[in-house]
Amino acid sequence: MNNNPICFFDSGIGGSTILKEVIKKLPNENYIYLSDSNNNPYGNKTKEELFKIVNNNIKTLLKYKPKLIICACNTATTTVLDDIRKKYKDITFIGTEPAIKIVHDKYKNKKTIILTTKGTAQSERLKKLFNKYKTTDCTLVEAPMLASLIETGKNPYPYLKELLKNYTKVEVVVLGCTHFPLAKKEIEKVLGKVLFIDGYSAIANKIYNSLKDNNLLSLNNVGNLHIIAPNQNIKNKIIEIIKEN
Ligand code: DGL
């Protein structure tokens, strides 16, 4: 048993869409959420810039003696997490990748788009995943502006209407950025009813299994959440996301 926190980070509020699922599965844990909104969007940064940014996040989180660090960001996971793992060999990291495999395993015949940031779409990791699991009618769509529109509270609909105008027959949308679940309503306003895939329950299971296997689960603890964010407004948004059904 271990009550040290599980630490999350992302380029802002997006990663709290994962945190919400993890808290449901593991309510007794202590959590730290680092919302690095000042560096949003990660998706338009170079690999070198992102490595420095993520490295700083890790340094901040290490002060809390985490038992696990969750990279709640597809962009950081697909571009720099391997290098970060090499640098911090004693820390267990769990990342987030677009859940293309779920489409491959369960929805082979459905017309699908994988919606990601520019950084994720152009990463070697994503190219490998895409080549391995792409189905017959599956397109990778970059949405370079979407995460920052969501982060800054702007309406993403006009942008999505233009971006997705050629995909109106799509049946499945893989949300390949943790900010994108926050624009589900606007995506469906453009595409009509679709099946959204985020892969978060698999991440929650991975976290549970990792803690259980290493005897690190918090059992008789009243779980709490500490948010590190540039201002109260962002903290409030994160709390709101976690409380939504
Ligand atoms: N939420 C992040 C992701 O999953 C990053 C979005 C961004 O800052 O570009 O990719």
Side-chain angles (χ1 to χ4, degrees):
M1 200 177 89
N2 178 315
N3 288 339
N4 288 14
I6 303 174
C7 292
F8 283 65
F9 74 90
D10 181 36
S11 66
I13 61 176
S16 54
T17 58
I18 303 184
L19 175 60
K20 177 182 166 177
E21 296 308 316
V22 178
I23 291 176
K24 275 189 206 157
K25 188 164 177 83
L26 293 162
N28 299 326
E29 299 292 334
N30 296 323
Y31 294 95
I32 309 275
Y33 185 87
L34 169 58
S35 177
D36 186 18
S37 312
N38 287 340
N39 285 312
N40 182 284
Y42 282 3
N44 298 359
K45 304 261 187 302
T46 65
K47 196 173 168 180
E48 291 70 30
E49 285 169 334
L50 207 48
F51 182 85
K52 274 190 201 149
I53 288 170
V54 172
N55 190 39
N56 282 337
N57 290 341
I58 305 305
K59 281 194 209 152
T60 303
L61 293 174
L62 286 180
K63 293 180 195 142
Y64 296 89
K65 305 203 180 317
K67 57 182 174 183
L68 213 53
I69 296 184
I70 316 302
C71 178
C73 173
N74 292 261
T75 312
T77 301
T78 54
T79 56
V80 299
L81 189 60
D82 280 348
D83 293 336
I84 290 286
R85 282 190 170 113
K86 281 181 202 145
K87 179 162 179 172
Y88 298 95
K89 293 207 171 69
D90 298 340
I91 305 290
T92 307
F93 293 96
I94 290 182
T96 313
E97 291 177 337
I100 308 177
K101 188 174 181 299
I102 297 182
V103 179
H104 172 271
D105 293 349
K106 288 189 173 170
Y107 306 107
K108 261 197 172 59
N109 300 319
K110 299 222 183 273
K111 193 174 174 61
T112 300
I113 58 171
I114 321 282
L115 201 57
T116 73
T117 65
K118 184 175 160 211
T120 298
Q122 297 184 0
S123 67
E124 288 308 312
R125 176 72 196 149
L126 199 275
K127 281 179 199 150
K128 264 190 210 152
L129 270 183
F130 190 70
N131 289 334
K132 189 166 175 195
Y133 295 118
K134 70 170 181 267
T135 49
T136 38
D137 197 348
C138 176
T139 313
L140 183 58
V141 179
E142 271 179 41
M145 303 271 296
L146 189 53
S148 61
L149 288 171
I150 295 167
E151 184 65 26
T152 52
K154 302 203 178 81
N155 181 4
Y157 175 68
Y159 175 71
L160 284 166
K161 195 174 167 208
E162 181 56 29
L163 182 80
L164 301 178
K165 64 179 183 226
N166 297 325
Y167 300 102
T168 47
K169 297 257 158 52
V170 157
E171 301 164 275
V172 176
V173 176
V174 175
L175 298 164
C177 165
T178 54
H179 279 73
F180 296 175
L182 302 170
K184 278 185 183 171
K185 213 172 61 204
E186 290 80 5
I187 294 171
E188 284 199 320
K189 209 168 149 191
V190 182
L191 299 180
K193 193 104 195 96
V194 291
L195 177 67
F196 289 109
I197 309 271
D198 59 29
Y200 292 173
S201 66
I203 296 173
N205 286 339
K206 210 170 177 180
I207 294 171
Y208 173 80
N209 289 332
S210 168
L211 295 177
K212 190 164 183 285
D213 292 349
N214 294 294
N215 209 14
L216 291 174
L217 282 165
S218 289
L219 297 173
N220 303 314
N221 176 53
V222 180
N224 65 47
L225 167 64
H226 173 63
I227 300 170
I228 307 165
N231 60 55
Q232 191 57 43
N233 187 26
I234 294 172
K235 286 187 188 178
N236 291 345
K237 275 193 203 168
I238 291 165
I239 292 166
E240 214 176 285
I241 293 165
I242 290 166
K243 285 191 174 153
E244 259 168 33
N245 285 320

